[in-house]
Amino acid sequence: MLIDNAGLHAFSHRATSEGYAEMAAVNYLAPWVITDALRDRLTASASASASASAPARIVTVASRASLRAHTIDPALDLTDTADLTRVGSSPRYGRSKLMDIMFTQELGRRLQGAGVAVTCCCPGFNATGLGRELPLAGALERALTALGIGNPQHGADIIVRLATDPEFADSTGGYFAARTAKPLRCPEVGRGEAVQRALWEATAELVHDIRRRTTPERPARPARRECSSRRMAMPRRCRHWRHCCR
């Protein structure tokens, strides 16, 4: 079971050490990378499972904030590092969550028949400190908590349900609402299979490039020296080391 639940709403531009927008990296690239890294293990687990009601599952936390994204250009949006304001941050946050829905639906198609249930959800409004960078955010969160508004339990319930309920054991690419588990539609701009596939391919290429640039090269193996006593290639510390292999 894998639950992708990283989330960040930045109200000013910040970049990762690789030079990409932090909000897109946390909300979308991080779930994509960890899912890709564990994909073979999850499919192997599904194949080994003897119970059809307990398949491997991947649950990604998206959001209805995705409706705030009115356009999607995979190649451009993944590398967009333009500055943003508090007001302008909302569409960018929504776009990162739209990408999560698109990723879920494309992954569902790619794992069709593999025995892995792939879903995502909108956890609803939750007072979890997501907007803590805003002025008075702490006071507002305490007031909402006191009034019983934005209880994070409601968001957690749908995540746990998608991860454990037999009702969703065969779900592929589904997107569900908090509380009712009502099926939701991906926003229209990201709904088509072609644009979802384009996002997947652009992401795979970007991640490959990041790994290539950030993975240190392996040191060269030490050369083997010829042992003069036996006239053949020997490891550096052979039994004749003191006499001939220095």
Side-chain angles (χ1 to χ4, degrees):
M1 180 188 302
L2 172 62
I3 298 176
D4 296 318
N5 189 30
L8 169 71
H9 189 146
F11 295 94
S12 61
H13 173 66
R14 294 193 297 268
T16 67
S17 59
E18 298 84 9
Y20 298 99
E22 184 182 58
M23 188 153 55
V26 172
N27 294 353
Y28 172 67
L29 288 176
W32 197 100
V33 169
I34 193 169
T35 303
D36 182 60
L38 297 176
R39 182 173 166 179
D40 289 345
R41 181 169 296 183
L42 287 164
T43 54
S45 173
S47 298
S49 175
S51 173
S53 63
R57 303 197 192 197
I58 301 172
V59 181
T60 299
V61 180
S63 173
R64 287 187 182 178
S66 56
L67 292 167
R68 301 171 192 162
H70 302 300
T71 62
I72 183 73
D73 183 332
L76 177 63
D77 293 333
L78 285 172
T79 57
D80 184 8
T81 56
D83 202 2
L84 52 86
T85 62
R86 290 176 183 172
V87 175
S89 69
S90 186
R92 297 269 283 275
Y93 174 78
R95 189 173 294 116
S96 70
K97 290 301 180 178
L98 172 62
M99 290 179 177
D100 285 332
I101 302 169
M102 296 167 66
F103 152 70
T104 296
Q105 297 187 339
E106 176 64 17
L107 179 63
R109 284 189 291 273
R110 290 173 181 256
L111 294 182
Q112 185 76 43
V116 181
V118 182
T119 57
C120 63
C121 64
C122 171
F125 175 75
N126 299 279
T128 59
L130 188 66
R132 57 185 171 273
E133 296 178 20
L134 292 174
L136 304 178
L140 178 60
E141 182 179 349
R142 288 191 292 273
L144 291 173
T145 300
L147 294 171
I149 300 173
N151 185 349
Q153 183 66 49
H154 299 147
D157 285 345
I158 183 60
I159 298 170
V160 172
R161 188 173 174 186
L162 292 177
T164 61
D165 195 325
E167 179 183 349
F168 301 99
D170 298 321
S171 184
T172 301
Y175 172 36
F176 300 93
R179 298 197 183 197
T180 62
K182 174 185 175 181
L184 301 173
R185 298 190 74 187
C186 177
E188 187 175 357
V189 293
R191 192 178 300 161
E193 290 187 20
V195 71
Q196 291 179 356
R197 183 169 57 254
L199 175 63
W200 182 283
E201 292 172 352
T203 306
E205 183 177 348
L206 177 65
V207 170
H208 174 75
D209 183 62
I210 294 172
R211 286 170 173 164
R212 179 182 57 80
R213 290 187 287 109
T214 58
T215 302
E217 294 184 3
R218 292 183 179 182
R221 297 180 64 181
R224 295 168 70 88
R225 298 192 177 189
E226 183 176 300
C227 177
S228 59
S229 65
R230 299 183 64 180
R231 302 300 179 189
M232 61 183 293
M234 297 288 288
R236 181 175 173 81
R237 292 189 178 276
C238 70
R239 63 190 179 91
H240 302 290
W241 163 255
R242 292 187 180 182
H243 304 291
C244 62
C245 296
R246 288 179 291 179

